[in-house]
Amino acid sequence: MTCPRVEVDLRKICQNTEIVVRRLKTRGITVTGVTKAVCGHPAIAQAMLDGGALGLAEARITNVQRLRKAGITDPITLIRTPMLSQAAAVVELCEASYNTQMVVISALADAAIRQDTVHGIILMVEMGDGREGIMPDDVAAIAPQVVALPGVALQGIGANFACLSGLAPDAAQIADLSALAFQVEQHRGVSLTTVSGGNSATLPWAFGGQPTGCINDLRLGEAILLGVDPVTAAPIDGLHQDAFTLIAEVIEVQTKPRPAPIRFANPTLAKHLAPHRQDTHRLILALGRQDTDISGLSMTLDHRLIGATSDHLVIGTSGPMPRVGSEIRFQMNYGALMQVMAAPDIKTELGRNRRTPQSPNTASKRIDLILA
Ligand SMILES: *Cc1c(COP(=O)(O)O)cnc(C)c1O
């Protein structure tokens, strides 16, 4: 099998979706599956839909194109404010988009009229993350402008949390969003289909006992794909954390003297190097910074990251030495996953792992994969 590769267990992604969908259903909240971290991989998107996601959300129109080309006809919402230059493609490929700029909404409306369709608009409201969003005080003025514009329909409002600030929302911020939705509905006489309370960082709130108010949807990527809370990195109860495994091949096995302490001008480089370790057994893998965020990989305890360059990953081991040609398996965080899925040299193998992934110790044994 080709190396490096990422093995994707679609069943685990489907199960993660099912579990989150079921838990949120009791709270009156639906799930929109976010596929941007996997570059809109159609089979992974389909696993989310099979698990009960009501629709998909993407940040990039190129990824939406990939989903549509693969035959996915479910609703797709663009969650990154559309580029003005892509208005026509957004209307053509997406049912709706998140928006913050009236000039873009007008361009979407024009494109929709030309394409003889109606494009859904969800107003993204700034509720404290500091990234995109219109200010809450401006919603009352902007909502009626959208309602009055032919070619677009005001589908809802939403907020995003934690992406820039790293802070999970508190109950008051979400209650404010809900109150805003209520005001728009009451005073503007429109009924909002979607009130989207945020991304995976909103899950702890959603699983808690607080009243949900008008919130009826969450946009979930990381929680479904990696089974963790993006703010704390803590595993979410009942979810799989190992739906994705990165596999790299050993190209050199040596016993080397412990390197003399080295002084690094670049402190970020020094952080990833451990020249004082006792590890004298070293492996070099054919994987590097060009493929992924090395600091987002995890290995078993008897393996230790010594360093990485663009194409080489140097690992020290106190365990048994694997042979040249054997494979080492890694789990990834969100940043590492995102890069791996976009890396041209890393092949994606879809399957269902029959066994749980082995520790890298025994990685020379192949894991059984059923190709989808
Ligand atoms: C990335 C993103 C999401 C999904 O975030 P996760 O933490 O992966 O759940 C949702 N909404 C917006 C606007 C995003 O940019």
Side-chain angles (χ1 to χ4, degrees):
M1 241 180 285
T2 47
C3 268
R5 67 178 185 277
V6 56
E7 287 179 359
V8 188
D9 189 328
L10 295 175
R11 193 187 36 131
K12 287 182 177 169
I13 292 166
C14 181
Q15 284 174 351
N16 279 0
T17 315
E18 275 170 359
I19 290 165
V20 175
V21 165
R22 202 182 313 134
R23 285 187 197 162
L24 290 180
K25 194 175 177 188
T26 64
R27 307 272 286 147
I29 295 174
T30 57
V31 171
T32 299
V34 178
T35 52
K36 69 185 185 201
V38 294
C39 297
H41 194 294
I44 297 170
Q46 191 59 53
M48 290 177 166
L49 293 167
D50 292 347
L54 264 198
L56 300 171
E58 245 308 328
R60 291 170 192 247
I61 207 74
T62 44
N63 292 342
V64 180
Q65 267 158 351
R66 186 179 180 195
L67 290 163
R68 292 301 188 211
K69 233 180 233 161
I72 287 182
T73 55
D74 296 73
I76 302 178
T77 305
L78 197 71
I79 46 176
R80 184 171 69 182
T81 310
M83 288 184 225
L84 197 53
S85 59
Q86 292 183 336
V90 171
V91 168
E92 193 191 326
L93 296 165
C94 303
E95 278 71 13
S97 55
Y98 280 80
N99 283 273
T100 65
Q101 303 287 290
M102 218 40 230
V103 61
V104 175
I105 297 172
S106 299
L108 293 167
D110 290 346
I113 289 166
R114 276 196 301 276
Q115 294 177 34
D116 198 19
T117 184
V118 175
H119 184 73
I121 301 293
I122 302 174
L123 293 175
M124 185 66 102
V125 188
E126 163 61 58
M127 299 302 293
D129 187 37
R131 203 177 68 179
E132 77 277 33
I134 57 181
M135 293 312 290
D137 286 348
D138 297 335
V139 173
I142 294 174
Q145 291 179 46
V146 177
V147 172
L149 207 56
V152 291
L154 182 63
Q155 181 180 318
I157 68 170
N160 197 48
F161 297 98
C163 273
L164 188 64
S165 67
L167 299 171
D170 59 30
Q173 285 169 299
I174 298 181
D176 288 347
L177 178 69
S178 173
L180 213 50
F182 186 75
Q183 278 165 26
V184 171
E185 293 201 314
Q186 292 297 301
H187 301 312
R188 304 294 148 197
V190 289
S191 139
L192 301 178
T193 317
T194 309
V195 184
S196 189
N199 56 12
S200 297
T202 305
L203 271 182
W205 166 84
F207 289 157
Q210 259 102 11
T212 52
C214 298
I215 309 297
N216 66 5
D217 174 75
L218 290 183
R219 310 174 305 274
L220 303 179
E222 185 163 358
I224 290 174
L225 298 169
L226 294 175
V228 300
D229 178 319
V231 176
T232 62
I236 300 171
D237 211 26
L239 301 191
H240 301 284
Q241 281 80 45
D242 57 355
F244 294 85
T245 307
L246 176 64
I247 295 146
E249 187 171 323
V250 176
I251 54 171
E252 186 188 298
V253 178
Q254 301 280 5
T255 301
K256 290 197 183 178
R258 183 170 17 144
I262 311 163
R263 293 186 59 179
F264 293 98
N266 180 347
T268 60
L269 193 65
K271 209 177 85 191
H272 298 303
L273 291 164
H276 299 294
R277 293 292 314 173
Q278 291 293 357
D279 309 309
T280 49
H281 298 317
R282 293 167 153 237
L283 332 172
I284 299 181
L285 308 189
L287 184 79
R289 293 187 187 282
Q290 198 152 63
D291 303 296
T292 190
D293 175 8
I294 300 295
S295 64
L297 302 181
S298 43
M299 298 167 273
T300 54
L301 280 175
D302 53 3
H303 286 70
R304 192 160 293 280
L305 178 64
I306 291 180
T309 59
S310 54
D311 311 292
H312 295 79
L313 183 61
V314 183
I315 291 177
T317 181
S318 51
M321 286 285 261
R323 281 167 297 137
V324 166
S326 62
E327 298 179 343
I328 303 280
R329 311 174 68 90
F330 300 92
Q331 299 308 131
M332 292 169 280
N333 72 7
Y334 189 83
L337 174 67
M338 197 175 65
Q339 278 186 245
V340 156
M341 294 304 292
D345 285 337
I346 300 187
K347 200 164 176 284
T348 304
E349 297 277 359
L350 305 173
R352 298 149 159 257
N353 291 345
R354 278 201 211 111
R355 289 177 284 156
T356 49
Q358 309 135 301
S359 71
N361 273 347
T362 52
S364 51
K365 285 187 229 144
R366 287 268 168 80
I367 197 153
D368 296 315
L369 270 184
I370 304 163
L371 294 183

